Amino acid sequence: MKYLFAGVIASVSLLLVLGQNDAGEKAKHTIPEVMKKAHAGKGALMKKVAAGDASADEKKTLVELYTSLGQNKPPQGEAGDWKKKTDALLTAAKKAADGDDAAAKSLTKLANCAACHKAHKG
């Protein structure tokens, strides 16, 4: 009986350990880092990409930043809504990096700061 109990405990422990790694890779950049690099100021990277003034390396950097953004957990709000918004930004950034001008221009609309901050900023 004690072996059965030990087996159950071991199985539950294994499930708990494996279940905590379901978020995927750890984000390379924090949310504030992404906001500062991609959205802050006149020379914001997202604005540069949207205007068609970004180099290939800058577009690649924006994809990296938005990848990190989606890997972070929002300070508040629904995780599903966070995923939807960050996935939309990432998809548009990837398309822009591949030369899709319409996707690049859509970034300014997708990066709706007020709506995202209201729902997710702590």
Side-chain angles (χ1 to χ4, degrees):
M1 184 68 167
K2 65 182 175 181
Y3 292 112
L4 178 63
F5 182 73
V8 169
I9 295 297
S11 297
V12 169
S13 298
L14 182 62
L15 287 173
L16 288 173
V17 169
L18 293 176
Q20 290 181 1
N21 196 22
D22 65 353
E25 290 183 37
K26 186 177 190 250
K28 186 175 180 179
H29 304 279
T30 65
I31 295 171
E33 288 173 345
V34 173
M35 293 300 119
K36 185 176 180 182
K37 292 176 182 177
H39 297 167
K42 277 187 173 181
L45 191 54
M46 181 272 299
K47 290 177 184 175
K48 240 178 141 175
V49 172
D53 298 332
S55 69
D57 283 341
E58 289 172 320
K59 291 175 184 178
K60 183 179 173 184
T61 299
L62 187 64
V63 170
E64 178 184 300
L65 290 169
Y66 285 158
T67 299
S68 289
L69 187 63
Q71 291 171 337
N72 280 286
K73 192 173 185 180
Q76 70 179 21
E78 296 285 324
D81 183 54
W82 175 259
K83 181 169 174 33
K84 180 180 169 187
K85 287 176 178 164
T86 59
D87 283 354
L89 282 169
L90 179 57
T91 299
K94 284 180 177 178
K95 287 180 181 179
D98 289 337
D100 187 334
D101 291 336
K105 289 178 183 173
S106 75
L107 285 168
T108 53
K109 191 177 235 181
L110 291 170
N112 183 340
C113 299
C116 197
H117 286 191
K118 184 177 179 182
H120 299 292
K121 189 172 181 184

